[in-house]
Amino acid sequence: MADAPPETLPFWVEAEDEAGDAMGLLGGDPVLRAVPLGPLRRNLAATVDALQEVFKDVAARGGTLPLAEAQLSFQVTASGGVQLIGTGQVQGTRGLTLTFRLP
C-alpha cells in the first residue's frame, strides 16, 4: 500500500493572536506550524489564477517594453492563507517567491 500524501507541511509562520490573525506582516517572531494543505492549495491556486488574469491583461497592452517576467513574494499563514508582499521595503525577508515567465 502506498503512503498517503501528507495533510500538512511544516512552515515557519508568524505567531497568531487568539482570533487567528497574524501579529503583523513579517514583523513577528516565527513559529513552526503544521499548515493544512487543503486550504493552502485552494488559496494558492486562487491567488495564481487571479494573478494570471492580471498579467494577461497587462501583456495584452503590448508596447515597446512588453511584460516578459513577473516576480511576487508571498507569505503562508498558519491556517493555509496566502499573503502577497506588496512593498519593496521587505526584500530579503522570510517569504516565498513566485516567478511567472513567458514560454
Coordinates of all heavy atoms in Angstrom, one line a residue:
M1 N 0.8 -1.2 0.0 CA 0.0 0.0 0.0 C 0.9 1.2 0.0 O 1.8 1.3 0.8 CB -0.9 0.0 1.2 CG -1.8 1.2 1.3 SD -2.7 1.4 2.8 CE -4.0 0.3 2.6
A2 N 0.6 2.2 -0.9 CA 1.4 3.4 -1.0 C 1.1 4.3 0.2 O 0.0 4.3 0.8 CB 1.1 4.1 -2.3
D3 N 2.1 5.1 0.6 CA 1.9 6.1 1.6 C 1.0 7.1 1.2 O 1.0 7.6 0.1 CB 3.3 6.7 2.0 CG 4.2 5.8 2.7 OD1 3.7 4.8 3.3 OD2 5.4 6.0 2.7
A4 N 0.1 7.6 2.1 CA -0.8 8.6 1.8 C -0.1 10.0 1.7 O 0.9 10.1 2.5 CB -1.9 8.7 2.9
P5 N -0.5 10.9 0.9 CA 0.2 12.2 0.8 C 0.0 12.9 2.1 O -1.0 12.7 2.8 CB -0.5 12.9 -0.3 CG -1.7 12.2 -0.6 CD -1.6 10.8 -0.1
P6 N 0.9 13.8 2.5 CA 0.8 14.5 3.8 C -0.4 15.4 3.7 O -0.8 15.9 2.7 CB 2.1 15.3 3.9 CG 2.6 15.4 2.5 CD 2.1 14.2 1.8
E7 N -1.0 15.6 4.9 CA -2.2 16.5 5.0 C -1.7 17.9 5.4 O -2.5 18.9 5.4 CB -3.2 16.0 6.0 CG -3.8 14.7 5.5 CD -4.9 14.2 6.4 OE1 -5.4 14.9 7.3 OE2 -5.2 13.0 6.3
T8 N -0.5 18.0 5.9 CA 0.1 19.3 6.4 C 1.5 19.3 5.9 O 2.2 18.3 5.6 CB 0.0 19.4 7.9 OG1 0.8 18.4 8.5 CG2 -1.4 19.4 8.4
L9 N 2.1 20.5 5.9 CA 3.5 20.8 5.7 C 4.0 21.7 6.8 O 3.3 22.6 7.2 CB 3.8 21.4 4.3 CG 3.7 20.6 3.1 CD1 3.9 21.4 1.9 CD2 4.8 19.5 3.2
P10 N 5.2 21.5 7.3 CA 5.7 22.4 8.3 C 6.2 23.7 7.6 O 6.9 23.6 6.6 CB 6.9 21.6 8.9 CG 7.3 20.6 7.8 CD 6.1 20.3 7.0
F11 N 5.7 24.8 8.2 CA 6.1 26.1 7.7 C 6.5 27.0 8.9 O 5.9 26.9 9.9 CB 5.0 26.8 7.0 CG 4.9 26.6 5.5 CD1 4.2 25.5 5.0 CD2 5.5 27.4 4.6 CE1 4.1 25.3 3.6 CE2 5.5 27.2 3.2 CZ 4.7 26.2 2.7
W12 N 7.5 27.8 8.7 CA 7.8 28.9 9.7 C 6.8 30.0 9.3 O 6.8 30.5 8.2 CB 9.2 29.4 9.6 CG 10.2 28.4 10.1 CD1 10.9 27.5 9.4 CD2 10.5 28.2 11.5 NE1 11.7 26.7 10.3 CE2 11.4 27.1 11.6 CE3 10.0 28.7 12.7 CZ2 11.9 26.7 12.8 CZ3 10.5 28.3 13.9 CH2 11.5 27.2 13.9
V13 N 5.9 30.3 10.3 CA 4.9 31.4 10.1 C 5.0 32.3 11.3 O 5.6 32.0 12.3 CB 3.5 30.8 10.0 CG1 3.4 29.9 8.8 CG2 3.1 30.0 11.2
E14 N 4.3 33.5 11.1 CA 4.3 34.4 12.2 C 3.3 33.9 13.3 O 2.3 33.2 12.9 CB 3.8 35.8 11.7 CG 4.8 36.6 11.1 CD 4.4 38.0 10.8 OE1 3.2 38.3 11.2 OE2 5.1 38.7 10.3
A15 N 3.6 34.2 14.5 CA 2.6 33.9 15.6 C 1.3 34.6 15.3 O 1.3 35.7 14.7 CB 3.2 34.3 16.9
E16 N 0.2 33.9 15.7 CA -1.1 34.5 15.5 C -1.7 34.8 16.9 O -1.4 34.2 17.9 CB -2.0 33.5 14.8 CG -1.6 33.3 13.3 CD -2.5 32.2 12.6 OE1 -3.1 31.5 13.3 OE2 -2.5 32.2 11.4
D17 N -2.6 35.8 16.9 CA -3.3 36.1 18.2 C -4.4 35.2 18.4 O -4.7 34.3 17.6 CB -3.7 37.6 18.2 CG -4.7 38.0 17.1 OD1 -5.3 37.0 16.5 OD2 -4.9 39.2 16.9
E18 N -5.2 35.4 19.4 CA -6.3 34.5 19.8 C -7.4 34.4 18.7 O -8.0 33.4 18.5 CB -7.0 34.9 21.1 CG -6.1 34.7 22.3 CD -5.1 35.8 22.5 OE1 -5.3 36.9 22.1 OE2 -4.0 35.5 23.1
A19 N -7.5 35.4 17.9 CA -8.5 35.5 16.8 C -8.0 34.8 15.5 O -8.7 34.6 14.6 CB -8.9 36.9 16.5
G20 N -6.7 34.3 15.6 CA -6.2 33.7 14.4 C -5.6 34.6 13.4 O -5.2 34.3 12.3
D21 N -5.4 35.9 13.8 CA -4.9 36.9 12.9 C -3.4 37.0 13.1 O -2.9 36.9 14.2 CB -5.5 38.3 13.1 CG -7.0 38.3 12.8 OD1 -7.4 37.7 11.9 OD2 -7.7 39.0 13.6
A22 N -2.6 37.2 12.0 CA -1.2 37.3 12.1 C -0.9 38.6 12.9 O -1.6 39.6 12.8 CB -0.6 37.4 10.7
M23 N 0.2 38.5 13.7 CA 0.5 39.6 14.6 C 1.1 40.8 13.8 O 1.4 41.8 14.4 CB 1.4 39.1 15.6 CG 0.9 38.0 16.4 SD -0.2 38.4 17.7 CE 0.9 39.0 18.9
G24 N 1.4 40.7 12.5 CA 2.0 41.8 11.8 C 2.8 41.2 10.7 O 3.7 40.4 11.0
L25 N 2.6 41.6 9.5 CA 3.3 41.0 8.3 C 4.8 41.0 8.5 O 5.4 42.1 8.5 CB 2.9 41.8 7.0 CG 3.4 41.2 5.7 CD1 2.8 39.8 5.5 CD2 3.1 42.1 4.6
L26 N 5.4 39.9 8.6 CA 6.8 39.7 8.6 C 7.5 40.3 9.8 O 8.7 40.4 9.8 CB 7.5 40.1 7.3 CG 7.0 39.4 6.1 CD1 7.6 40.0 4.8 CD2 7.3 37.9 6.1
G27 N 6.7 40.8 10.7 CA 7.4 41.6 11.8 C 7.5 40.8 13.1 O 8.2 41.1 14.0
G28 N 6.7 39.7 13.2 CA 6.6 39.0 14.5 C 7.7 37.9 14.5 O 8.5 37.7 13.5
D29 N 7.7 37.2 15.6 CA 8.7 36.1 15.7 C 8.1 34.9 15.0 O 6.9 34.5 15.2 CB 8.9 35.8 17.2 CG 9.7 36.9 17.9 OD1 10.6 37.5 17.2 OD2 9.5 37.1 19.1
P30 N 8.8 34.2 14.2 CA 8.3 33.0 13.5 C 8.2 31.8 14.4 O 8.9 31.7 15.4 CB 9.3 32.7 12.4 CG 10.6 33.3 12.9 CD 10.2 34.5 13.8
V31 N 7.1 31.0 14.2 CA 6.9 29.7 14.9 C 6.7 28.6 13.9 O 6.2 28.9 12.8 CB 5.7 29.8 15.9 CG1 6.0 30.8 17.0 CG2 4.5 30.3 15.1
L32 N 7.1 27.4 14.2 CA 7.0 26.3 13.2 C 5.6 25.7 13.4 O 5.2 25.4 14.6 CB 8.0 25.2 13.5 CG 8.1 24.1 12.5 CD1 8.4 24.6 11.1 CD2 9.1 23.1 12.9
R33 N 4.8 25.7 12.4 CA 3.4 25.2 12.4 C 3.2 24.2 11.3 O 3.8 24.3 10.3 CB 2.4 26.3 12.3 CG 2.4 27.3 13.4 CD 1.6 26.8 14.6 NE 1.4 27.8 15.6 CZ 2.0 27.9 16.7 NH1 3.0 27.1 17.0 NH2 1.8 28.9 17.5
A34 N 2.3 23.3 11.6 CA 1.8 22.3 10.6 C 0.7 23.0 9.8 O -0.4 23.2 10.3 CB 1.3 21.0 11.2
V35 N 1.0 23.5 8.6 CA 0.0 24.2 7.8 C -0.8 23.2 7.0 O -0.3 22.3 6.3 CB 0.7 25.2 6.8 CG1 -0.3 25.8 5.9 CG2 1.5 26.2 7.6
P36 N -2.2 23.3 7.1 CA -3.0 22.3 6.3 C -2.9 22.5 4.8 O -3.0 23.7 4.3 CB -4.4 22.6 6.9 CG -4.4 24.0 7.4 CD -3.0 24.2 7.8
L37 N -2.7 21.4 4.1 CA -2.5 21.6 2.7 C -3.8 21.9 1.9 O -3.7 22.5 0.8 CB -1.9 20.3 2.1 CG -0.5 20.0 2.5 CD1 0.0 18.8 1.8 CD2 0.4 21.2 2.0
G38 N -5.0 21.5 2.4 CA -6.2 21.8 1.7 C -6.4 23.3 1.5 O -6.5 23.7 0.3
P39 N -6.5 24.0 2.6 CA -6.6 25.5 2.4 C -5.5 26.1 1.7 O -5.7 27.0 0.9 CB -6.7 26.0 3.9 CG -7.2 24.8 4.7 CD -6.6 23.6 4.0
L40 N -4.2 25.7 1.9 CA -3.1 26.3 1.3 C -3.2 26.0 -0.2 O -3.0 27.0 -1.0 CB -1.8 25.7 1.8 CG -0.5 26.1 1.1 CD1 -0.3 27.6 1.2 CD2 0.7 25.4 1.7
R41 N -3.6 24.8 -0.7 CA -3.7 24.5 -2.1 C -4.8 25.4 -2.7 O -4.6 26.0 -3.8 CB -4.1 23.0 -2.2 CG -4.1 22.5 -3.6 CD -4.4 21.0 -3.7 NE -3.2 20.3 -3.2 CZ -3.2 19.5 -2.2 NH1 -4.2 19.3 -1.4 NH2 -2.1 18.9 -1.8
R42 N -5.9 25.5 -2.1 CA -7.0 26.4 -2.6 C -6.6 27.8 -2.7 O -6.9 28.5 -3.7 CB -8.3 26.2 -1.8 CG -9.0 24.9 -2.0 CD -10.4 24.8 -1.3 NE -10.3 25.0 0.2 CZ -10.0 24.1 1.1 NH1 -9.8 22.8 0.7 NH2 -10.0 24.3 2.4
N43 N -6.0 28.3 -1.6 CA -5.7 29.8 -1.6 C -4.6 30.1 -2.6 O -4.6 31.1 -3.2 CB -5.3 30.2 -0.2 CG -6.4 30.1 0.8 OD1 -7.6 30.4 0.4 ND2 -6.2 29.8 2.0
L44 N -3.6 29.2 -2.7 CA -2.5 29.5 -3.6 C -3.0 29.4 -5.1 O -2.7 30.2 -5.9 CB -1.3 28.5 -3.4 CG -0.1 28.8 -4.2 CD1 0.4 30.2 -4.0 CD2 1.0 27.8 -3.8
A45 N -3.9 28.4 -5.4 CA -4.4 28.3 -6.7 C -5.3 29.5 -7.1 O -5.2 30.0 -8.2 CB -5.3 27.0 -6.8
A46 N -6.1 30.0 -6.1 CA -6.9 31.2 -6.4 C -6.1 32.4 -6.6 O -6.3 33.2 -7.5 CB -7.9 31.4 -5.2
T47 N -5.0 32.5 -5.8 CA -4.1 33.7 -6.0 C -3.4 33.6 -7.3 O -3.3 34.6 -8.1 CB -3.0 33.7 -4.9 OG1 -3.7 33.8 -3.6 CG2 -2.0 34.8 -5.0
V48 N -2.9 32.5 -7.7 CA -2.2 32.3 -9.0 C -3.2 32.6 -10.2 O -2.9 33.3 -11.1 CB -1.5 31.0 -9.2 CG1 -1.1 30.7 -10.6 CG2 -0.3 30.9 -8.2
D49 N -4.4 32.1 -10.1 CA -5.4 32.3 -11.1 C -5.7 33.8 -11.3 O -5.7 34.3 -12.4 CB -6.7 31.6 -10.8 CG -6.6 30.1 -10.9 OD1 -5.6 29.6 -11.5 OD2 -7.6 29.4 -10.5
A50 N -5.9 34.5 -10.2 CA -6.1 35.9 -10.2 C -4.9 36.7 -10.8 O -5.1 37.6 -11.7 CB -6.5 36.5 -8.9
L51 N -3.7 36.3 -10.4 CA -2.5 37.0 -10.9 C -2.3 36.7 -12.4 O -2.0 37.6 -13.2 CB -1.3 36.5 -10.2 CG -1.2 37.0 -8.7 CD1 0.0 36.2 -8.0 CD2 -0.9 38.5 -8.7
Q52 N -2.6 35.5 -12.9 CA -2.5 35.2 -14.3 C -3.5 36.1 -15.1 O -3.1 36.5 -16.2 CB -2.7 33.7 -14.6 CG -1.5 32.9 -14.1 CD -1.6 31.4 -14.4 OE1 -2.7 30.9 -14.5 NE2 -0.5 30.8 -14.4
E53 N -4.7 36.3 -14.6 CA -5.6 37.2 -15.3 C -5.1 38.6 -15.4 O -5.1 39.3 -16.4 CB -7.0 37.2 -14.6 CG -7.8 35.9 -14.9 CD -8.1 35.8 -16.3 OE1 -8.6 36.7 -17.0 OE2 -8.0 34.6 -16.8
V54 N -4.5 39.1 -14.3 CA -3.9 40.4 -14.3 C -2.8 40.5 -15.3 O -2.7 41.4 -16.1 CB -3.4 40.8 -12.9 CG1 -2.6 42.1 -12.9 CG2 -4.6 41.0 -11.9
F55 N -1.9 39.5 -15.2 CA -0.7 39.5 -16.2 C -1.2 39.4 -17.6 O -0.6 40.0 -18.5 CB 0.2 38.4 -15.8 CG 0.9 38.5 -14.5 CD1 1.2 37.4 -13.8 CD2 1.1 39.7 -13.9 CE1 1.8 37.5 -12.5 CE2 1.7 39.8 -12.6 CZ 2.0 38.7 -11.9
K56 N -2.2 38.7 -17.9 CA -2.7 38.5 -19.2 C -3.2 39.9 -19.7 O -2.9 40.3 -20.9 CB -3.9 37.5 -19.3 CG -4.5 37.3 -20.7 CD -5.5 36.2 -20.7 CE -6.8 36.8 -20.3 NZ -7.9 35.8 -20.4
D57 N -3.9 40.6 -18.9 CA -4.4 42.0 -19.3 C -3.2 42.9 -19.5 O -3.2 43.7 -20.5 CB -5.3 42.6 -18.2 CG -6.6 41.8 -18.0 OD1 -6.9 41.0 -18.9 OD2 -7.2 42.0 -17.0
V58 N -2.2 42.9 -18.7 CA -1.0 43.7 -18.8 C -0.3 43.3 -20.1 O 0.1 44.2 -20.9 CB -0.1 43.6 -17.6 CG1 1.2 44.3 -17.9 CG2 -0.8 44.2 -16.4
A59 N -0.1 42.0 -20.3 CA 0.6 41.6 -21.5 C -0.1 42.0 -22.8 O 0.5 42.2 -23.8 CB 0.9 40.1 -21.5
A60 N -1.4 42.0 -22.8 CA -2.2 42.3 -24.0 C -2.0 43.8 -24.4 O -2.3 44.1 -25.5 CB -3.7 42.1 -23.7
R61 N -1.5 44.6 -23.5 CA -1.3 46.0 -23.8 C -0.1 46.2 -24.8 O 0.0 47.2 -25.5 CB -1.0 46.8 -22.5 CG -2.2 46.8 -21.6 CD -1.9 47.6 -20.4 NE -1.6 49.0 -20.8 CZ -2.2 50.0 -20.3 NH1 -3.1 49.8 -19.4 NH2 -1.9 51.2 -20.7
G62 N 0.8 45.2 -24.8 CA 1.9 45.3 -25.8 C 2.8 46.4 -25.4 O 3.2 46.6 -24.3
G63 N 3.2 47.2 -26.4 CA 4.1 48.3 -26.2 C 5.5 48.0 -26.5 O 5.9 46.8 -26.8
T64 N 6.4 49.0 -26.3 CA 7.8 48.8 -26.6 C 8.5 47.9 -25.5 O 9.5 47.3 -25.8 CB 8.6 50.1 -26.6 OG1 7.8 51.1 -26.0 CG2 8.9 50.5 -28.0
L65 N 8.0 47.9 -24.3 CA 8.5 47.1 -23.2 C 7.5 46.1 -22.7 O 6.9 46.3 -21.7 CB 9.0 48.0 -22.1 CG 10.2 48.9 -22.4 CD1 10.4 49.9 -21.3 CD2 11.4 48.2 -22.8
P66 N 7.2 45.0 -23.4 CA 6.2 44.1 -23.0 C 6.6 43.3 -21.8 O 7.8 43.2 -21.5 CB 6.1 43.1 -24.2 CG 7.4 43.2 -24.9 CD 7.9 44.6 -24.7
L67 N 5.6 42.9 -21.0 CA 5.8 42.1 -19.8 C 6.4 40.8 -20.2 O 5.8 40.0 -21.0 CB 4.5 41.9 -19.0 CG 4.6 41.1 -17.8 CD1 5.5 41.8 -16.7 CD2 3.2 40.9 -17.2
A68 N 7.6 40.4 -19.8 CA 8.2 39.1 -20.1 C 8.4 38.3 -18.8 O 8.4 37.0 -18.9 CB 9.6 39.3 -20.7
E69 N 8.4 38.9 -17.6 CA 8.6 38.1 -16.4 C 8.0 39.0 -15.3 O 8.1 40.2 -15.3 CB 10.0 37.8 -16.2 CG 10.3 37.1 -14.9 CD 11.8 36.7 -14.7 OE1 12.2 35.9 -15.6 OE2 12.4 37.2 -13.8
A70 N 7.4 38.3 -14.3 CA 7.0 39.0 -13.1 C 7.3 38.1 -11.9 O 7.2 36.9 -11.9 CB 5.5 39.2 -13.1
Q71 N 7.8 38.7 -10.8 CA 8.1 38.0 -9.6 C 7.4 38.6 -8.4 O 7.3 39.9 -8.3 CB 9.6 38.1 -9.3 CG 10.5 37.4 -10.2 CD 12.0 37.3 -9.8 OE1 12.3 38.0 -8.9 NE2 12.7 36.6 -10.5
L72 N 6.7 37.8 -7.6 CA 6.0 38.2 -6.5 C 6.4 37.4 -5.3 O 6.5 36.2 -5.4 CB 4.5 38.1 -6.7 CG 4.0 39.0 -7.8 CD1 3.1 38.2 -8.8 CD2 3.2 40.1 -7.2
S73 N 6.5 38.0 -4.1 CA 6.7 37.3 -2.9 C 5.5 37.1 -2.1 O 4.6 38.0 -2.2 CB 7.8 38.0 -2.1 OG 9.0 38.0 -2.8
F74 N 5.4 36.0 -1.4 CA 4.2 35.8 -0.6 C 4.6 35.1 0.7 O 5.7 34.5 0.8 CB 3.1 35.0 -1.3 CG 3.5 33.6 -1.6 CD1 3.0 32.6 -0.8 CD2 4.2 33.2 -2.7 CE1 3.3 31.2 -1.0 CE2 4.5 31.9 -2.9 CZ 4.1 30.9 -2.1
Q75 N 3.7 35.2 1.7 CA 3.9 34.5 3.0 C 2.7 33.6 3.2 O 1.6 33.9 2.8 CB 3.9 35.6 4.1 CG 4.0 35.1 5.4 CD 4.0 36.2 6.5 OE1 4.0 37.4 6.1 NE2 4.1 35.8 7.7
V76 N 3.0 32.4 3.8 CA 2.0 31.5 4.1 C 1.6 31.7 5.6 O 2.5 31.8 6.4 CB 2.5 30.0 3.9 CG1 1.5 29.0 4.4 CG2 2.8 29.8 2.4
T77 N 0.3 31.7 5.9 CA -0.2 31.8 7.3 C -0.4 30.4 7.8 O -0.4 29.4 7.1 CB -1.5 32.6 7.4 OG1 -2.5 31.8 6.8 CG2 -1.4 33.9 6.7
A78 N -0.5 30.3 9.2 CA -0.6 29.1 9.8 C -1.9 28.3 9.4 O -2.0 27.1 9.5 CB -0.6 29.3 11.4
S79 N -2.9 29.1 9.0 CA -4.2 28.4 8.6 C -4.2 28.1 7.1 O -5.2 27.6 6.6 CB -5.3 29.4 8.9 OG -5.2 30.6 8.3
G80 N -3.1 28.3 6.4 CA -3.0 28.0 5.0 C -3.4 29.2 4.1 O -3.6 29.0 2.9
G81 N -3.4 30.3 4.6 CA -3.7 31.5 3.8 C -2.4 32.0 3.1 O -1.3 31.5 3.4
V82 N -2.6 32.8 2.0 CA -1.5 33.3 1.2 C -1.6 34.9 1.3 O -2.7 35.4 1.0 CB -1.7 32.8 -0.2 CG1 -0.6 33.5 -1.1 CG2 -1.5 31.3 -0.3
Q83 N -0.5 35.5 1.7 CA -0.5 37.0 1.8 C 0.6 37.4 0.8 O 1.8 37.1 1.0 CB -0.2 37.4 3.2 CG -1.2 37.0 4.2 CD -0.7 37.4 5.6 OE1 0.5 37.5 5.9 NE2 -1.7 37.6 6.5
L84 N 0.2 38.2 -0.2 CA 1.2 38.7 -1.1 C 2.0 39.9 -0.4 O 1.4 40.6 0.4 CB 0.6 39.3 -2.4 CG -0.1 38.2 -3.3 CD1 -0.8 38.9 -4.4 CD2 1.0 37.2 -3.8
I85 N 3.2 40.0 -0.7 CA 4.1 41.0 -0.1 C 4.2 42.2 -1.1 O 4.7 42.0 -2.2 CB 5.5 40.5 0.3 CG1 5.3 39.4 1.3 CG2 6.3 41.6 0.9 CD1 6.6 38.6 1.6
G86 N 3.6 43.3 -0.8 CA 3.4 44.3 -1.8 C 4.3 45.5 -1.7 O 4.0 46.6 -2.2
T87 N 5.5 45.4 -1.0 CA 6.4 46.5 -0.9 C 7.8 46.1 -1.1 O 8.2 45.0 -0.7 CB 6.2 47.3 0.4 OG1 7.2 48.3 0.5 CG2 6.3 46.4 1.6
G88 N 8.6 46.9 -1.7 CA 10.0 46.6 -1.9 C 10.8 46.7 -0.7 O 11.9 46.3 -0.6
Q89 N 10.2 47.3 0.4 CA 10.9 47.5 1.6 C 11.1 46.2 2.4 O 11.9 46.2 3.4 CB 10.2 48.5 2.5 CG 10.1 49.9 1.9 CD 9.3 50.8 2.7 OE1 8.6 50.4 3.6 NE2 9.3 52.1 2.4
V90 N 10.5 45.1 2.0 CA 10.6 43.9 2.8 C 11.5 42.9 2.1 O 11.4 41.7 2.3 CB 9.3 43.3 3.2 CG1 8.5 44.2 4.1 CG2 8.4 43.0 1.9
Q91 N 12.3 43.3 1.1 CA 13.1 42.4 0.4 C 14.1 41.7 1.4 O 14.6 42.3 2.3 CB 13.9 43.1 -0.7 CG 13.1 43.6 -1.8 CD 13.9 44.4 -2.9 OE1 15.0 44.7 -2.7 NE2 13.2 44.7 -4.0
G92 N 14.4 40.5 1.1 CA 15.3 39.7 2.0 C 14.7 39.2 3.2 O 15.3 38.7 4.1
T93 N 13.3 39.3 3.3 CA 12.6 38.8 4.5 C 12.2 37.3 4.2 O 12.4 36.8 3.2 CB 11.4 39.6 4.8 OG1 10.5 39.6 3.7 CG2 11.8 41.1 5.2
R94 N 11.5 36.8 5.2 CA 11.0 35.4 5.1 C 9.8 35.3 4.2 O 8.7 35.6 4.6 CB 10.7 34.9 6.5 CG 11.8 34.9 7.5 CD 11.4 34.5 8.9 NE 10.3 35.4 9.4 CZ 10.6 36.4 10.2 NH1 11.8 36.7 10.5 NH2 9.6 37.1 10.7
G95 N 10.0 35.0 3.0 CA 8.9 34.9 2.1 C 9.2 33.9 1.0 O 10.4 33.6 0.7
L96 N 8.2 33.4 0.2 CA 8.4 32.6 -0.9 C 8.2 33.4 -2.2 O 7.5 34.4 -2.1 CB 7.4 31.4 -0.9 CG 7.5 30.5 0.3 CD1 6.2 29.7 0.4 CD2 8.7 29.7 0.3
T97 N 8.8 33.1 -3.3 CA 8.7 33.9 -4.5 C 8.1 33.0 -5.6 O 8.6 31.9 -5.8 CB 10.1 34.4 -4.9 OG1 10.7 35.2 -3.9 CG2 10.0 35.3 -6.2
L98 N 7.1 33.6 -6.2 CA 6.6 33.0 -7.5 C 7.2 33.8 -8.6 O 7.2 35.0 -8.6 CB 5.1 33.2 -7.5 CG 4.2 32.5 -6.4 CD1 2.8 32.9 -6.6 CD2 4.3 31.0 -6.5
T99 N 7.6 33.1 -9.7 CA 8.2 33.7 -10.9 C 7.3 33.2 -12.0 O 7.2 32.0 -12.3 CB 9.6 33.4 -11.1 OG1 10.4 33.8 -10.0 CG2 10.2 34.0 -12.3
F100 N 6.8 34.2 -12.7 CA 6.0 33.9 -13.9 C 6.8 34.4 -15.2 O 7.2 35.5 -15.2 CB 4.6 34.7 -13.9 CG 3.8 34.3 -12.7 CD1 3.9 34.9 -11.5 CD2 2.8 33.3 -12.9 CE1 3.1 34.5 -10.4 CE2 2.0 32.9 -11.8 CZ 2.2 33.5 -10.6
R101 N 7.0 33.5 -16.1 CA 7.7 33.8 -17.4 C 6.9 33.4 -18.6 O 6.2 32.5 -18.6 CB 9.0 33.0 -17.4 CG 10.1 33.5 -16.5 CD 11.4 32.8 -16.9 NE 12.4 33.2 -15.9 CZ 12.8 32.4 -14.9 NH1 12.4 31.2 -14.8 NH2 13.7 32.9 -14.0
L102 N 7.1 34.2 -19.6 CA 6.5 33.9 -20.9 C 7.2 32.6 -21.4 O 8.4 32.4 -21.2 CB 6.7 35.0 -21.9 CG 5.9 36.2 -21.7 CD1 6.3 37.3 -22.7 CD2 4.4 35.9 -21.8
P103 N 6.4 31.7 -22.0 CA 7.1 30.4 -22.5 C 8.0 30.7 -23.7 O 7.9 31.7 -24.3 CB 5.9 29.6 -22.9 CG 4.7 30.4 -22.9 CD 5.0 31.7 -22.2

